[in-house]
Amino acid sequence: MQIDRELDLKGEVCPFTFVKSKLIMEQMEKGQILRVILDYKPSVENVPKSMEMEGQKVLAVNQIGDNLWEVIVRKEK
């Protein structure tokens, strides 16, 4: 899978994690893939849910370390 943009949000909390992810997504082309790095557990649930509510496709949510996750989202619209 080709990642087109990566957003490191370590140290950020809700709702800023979603707001910043959404702003990056708005700059991307349809079909491009964004990888968001999170270290705040509530964001791991909220960012994917909010992205899907916005019409984007969440491809994966993976734990990649101790208290570290990646959320991979494809821009659909």
Side-chain angles (χ1 to χ4, degrees):
M1 178 183 335
Q2 178 188 334
I3 305 295
D4 297 294
R5 300 276 304 264
E6 185 167 300
L7 183 60
D8 185 342
L9 293 178
K10 291 190 295 279
E12 298 283 349
V13 297
C14 296
F16 302 108
T17 49
F18 170 63
V19 171
K20 290 182 177 185
S21 300
K22 182 180 175 185
L23 289 173
I24 292 293
M25 200 52 103
E26 289 174 355
Q27 300 170 15
M28 296 172 66
E29 301 291 325
K30 184 177 177 181
Q32 287 188 313
I33 295 176
L34 173 66
R35 179 179 187 237
V36 183
I37 307 297
L38 302 165
D39 65 353
Y40 183 62
K41 179 67 171 158
S43 294
V44 177
E45 297 169 11
N46 293 334
V47 169
K49 183 170 37 175
S50 298
M51 282 291 179
E52 291 200 332
M53 287 175 62
E54 290 284 317
Q56 311 307 345
K57 175 69 175 170
V58 176
L59 301 176
V61 178
N62 302 313
Q63 186 160 4
I64 55 174
D66 288 342
N67 207 38
L68 199 60
W69 294 267
E70 68 177 0
V71 177
I72 300 176
V73 185
R74 182 176 61 225
K75 181 165 182 164
E76 294 292 316
K77 59 181 206 169

